[in-house]
Structures are given as C-alpha cells and as structure tokens.
Amino acid sequence: MELWLDHLGQIWWASLSRETARYVVFAVAIWALLWIVLKAPLRERKIRQRSPAARQMLVEFMISIRSIAIFATVALAQSLMSRAGAYPLTHFALQWGTTWFWTSLLLMILGHDAYFYWTHRAMHGRRLFRTFHRRHHRSHNPSPFTAYSFDLGEAAVMASFVILWPFFVPTPWAVVSLFVVHQIIRNTFAHCGYELMPATAEGRPLIDWLTTTTHHDLHHAHADSNFGLYFTWWDRWMGTENPDYHAAFARAAFRRATPALAEAEPGLPGEI
Ligand SMILES: [Zn+2]
Ligand SMILES: [Zn+2]
C-alpha cells in the first residue's frame, strides 16, 4: 500500500513538474519576448497603453501554479484510468495512420473550442460566476500570466475536457499532448496585451475566423461578449460578438496610422 502511494505520488509530481515547466516556458517566454525584448518595436501594437501592475502578474502566476496542480491531479487520474483500460479508443487511433493523427488533432481543437464557448458562457451565469470564474476576471487588464489564473472550479472544468474527449473520440495520446501545447500557446497569446494579427487594408483581421488578442481583451473589459477561445464563429452564430470588435481591432492594429485614436482603449484598466 505504501509503495503504491509512493508510486502515485511520483506520477503526480512528474505531471506537476511537466505542466509547470510547460507553463513557465510558454508564459514566461511570451512575456519576456513581447513585454521586454520586443517592447520598443511592438509599441504601436500594444492594445492598452497602461500595463498591469507587477503585483497583479505575481498573483496571476501564483494562482496559475495552483491551477497546474489541479491539471496534474487530473493527469494522474487519467493515467490511472488509462492503465485500467478505460481508454480503448486511443489504441484504435494509433492504427489509423497519419491522416487520422492530424484529423484527430483538428477535431480535438474544434471540440475544445465548442466546449470552452459553452462552459465559459455558463460560468458567466449569475449563479456560477462567483465560484467558478471571478478570479479570471479580476484581471481587467490581462497579461500573459492571466491564461491559467482560474478559480479551482474553473481549473477543474478546463481539465475535464482532456479527461472526457479521448473517451468518445479515438485520439492518440501524442495528439492529446500536442493539443495541450496548442492550447497554452493560444491561451497565452489571447492574454498577451499586444495585437499581433496582421490587418487588411480595411483594418480587418487578416484571418477573421480566428480570435485575436483584441477579441479576448474586449472580453476582459466587457464580460458580456466575446466568449470564444480559438475561433470567432460561435460568438457570431450566437450573436455574442462585441459590436465594437472590428473597430477595437483597427485601433490596435493602426494606432500609428490613426494618432487621433491613440488614446482609445477597449476598456478601463483595472487592479487585481
Ligand atoms: Zn481571459
Ligand atoms: Zn469570462
């Protein structure tokens, strides 16, 4: 029994270390790259002129480590379930070749986008917001460290997708790992404070079906719209896209070209 508990502890610790390293590598790297190394050249692309206080980012970092502990616990549960044979579809998926490998990654991203949109909207309901989602919205002016700044309930909801999806869709474990990397990169860029999507001559996002940093920044400024994570279509289908989105994107993308708009910001910067 003691040996078994020891073994569980080792798996949990390995998972915690792996997830923390992944988070630190991406969040810290994106923060250091955009907010320090490229600060001057990207000056015109900063969505808000005011940066969040260092204290806000420190709190977000600490809360993110707590979220990662939840993810590690879920990963431990998944590892045990897998060993117990609870995921037979992952073995079939391995035999279906390269085409299915990449198709299953695309399906997992599409599935997560829908899961995120609807669970996110549910967490904005009056009854769930206080216990599930308030922590994330304490960051009115997001930073790259806001990405995993979750209440415990929200961290569990987010982690549950990775538990549930391979039950229903044949997905190799390597695809699950790639999905997690894609998720943390997109999530961190959504909160990075700089609009990096190229703009068309009319000031529209070059790829308008992908969400941009401005899209999610508006959600932190006005929490009643822009619930999507990777793609803009759910907000458009459901009529929840912020009506100021394209104007706010153009302001962020063309700040230099339209100095009169230089002071315009999508929302009021707040304190944590
Ligand atoms: Zn956010
Ligand atoms: Zn929200």
Side-chain angles (χ1 to χ4, degrees):
M1 179 71 179
E2 205 171 300
L3 259 179
W4 191 72
L5 283 176
D6 238 27
H7 185 53
L8 282 187
Q10 280 170 11
I11 299 176
W12 185 81
W13 185 251
S15 176
L16 181 68
S17 310
R18 192 175 56 241
E19 296 287 336
T20 305
R22 213 179 255 160
Y23 168 74
V24 169
V25 165
F26 287 113
V28 175
I30 289 172
W31 170 76
L33 186 68
L34 300 182
W35 291 49
I36 297 176
V37 180
L38 298 175
K39 186 178 178 181
L42 284 179
R43 185 169 73 245
E44 310 296 343
R45 283 276 179 158
K46 191 147 191 324
I47 296 170
R48 306 195 197 199
Q49 296 310 292
R50 284 178 58 186
S51 294
R55 182 175 170 272
Q56 173 186 320
M57 292 195 277
L58 183 66
V59 171
E60 289 170 349
F61 186 85
M62 300 307 288
I63 298 282
S64 296
I65 300 297
R66 186 183 72 176
S67 299
I68 290 166
I70 302 286
F71 301 157
T73 307
V74 168
L76 170 62
Q78 189 161 42
S79 170
L80 294 176
M81 286 158 65
S82 175
R83 286 175 197 203
Y87 288 105
L89 295 184
T90 57
H91 301 295
F92 293 127
L94 274 181
Q95 295 155 19
W96 291 356
T98 313
T99 307
W100 180 251
F101 183 93
W102 295 111
T103 305
S104 67
L105 177 61
L106 183 65
L107 286 176
M108 194 166 183
I109 291 168
L110 291 171
H112 185 237
D113 188 63
Y115 177 88
F116 183 92
Y117 178 85
W118 288 106
T119 54
H120 189 191
R121 269 192 79 171
M123 286 189 286
H124 272 270
R126 200 182 302 174
R127 296 175 76 184
L128 296 182
F129 185 82
R130 285 176 69 84
T131 43
F132 278 78
H133 198 43
R134 188 163 62 169
R135 162 53 58 189
H136 191 68
H137 277 277
R138 289 203 172 164
S139 305
H140 301 290
N141 185 3
S143 81
F145 302 108
T146 312
Y148 279 173
S149 183
F150 295 146
D151 284 301
L152 290 174
E154 180 168 11
V157 169
M158 291 302 133
S160 297
F161 177 79
V162 180
I163 287 262
L164 293 172
W165 185 263
F167 261 132
F168 301 107
V169 183
T171 309
W173 289 119
V175 164
V176 176
S177 299
L178 279 178
F179 160 80
V180 171
V181 171
H182 167 270
Q183 181 271 123
I184 181 69
I185 292 174
R186 286 295 311 271
N187 204 344
T188 307
F189 274 113
H191 296 92
C192 77
Y194 288 87
E195 186 45 74
L196 302 173
M197 171 72 80
T200 64
E202 297 79 41
R204 308 272 289 197
L206 186 63
I207 307 174
D208 200 22
W209 46 269
L210 284 180
T211 55
T212 63
T213 309
T214 303
H215 190 275
H216 195 66
D217 191 279
L218 276 173
H219 177 68
H220 279 263
H222 310 284
D224 57 353
S225 57
N226 291 7
F227 299 99
L229 181 59
Y230 308 129
F231 308 108
T232 48
W233 49 60
W234 278 108
D235 278 305
R236 290 183 186 159
W237 289 336
M238 296 299 131
T240 53
E241 184 171 88
N242 189 302
D244 190 39
Y245 169 50
H246 284 112
F249 176 85
R251 282 198 294 274
F254 289 127
R255 205 174 285 281
R256 187 206 298 268
T258 53
L261 296 173
E263 293 310 311
E265 298 207 359
L268 295 173
E271 303 281 317
I272 196 161

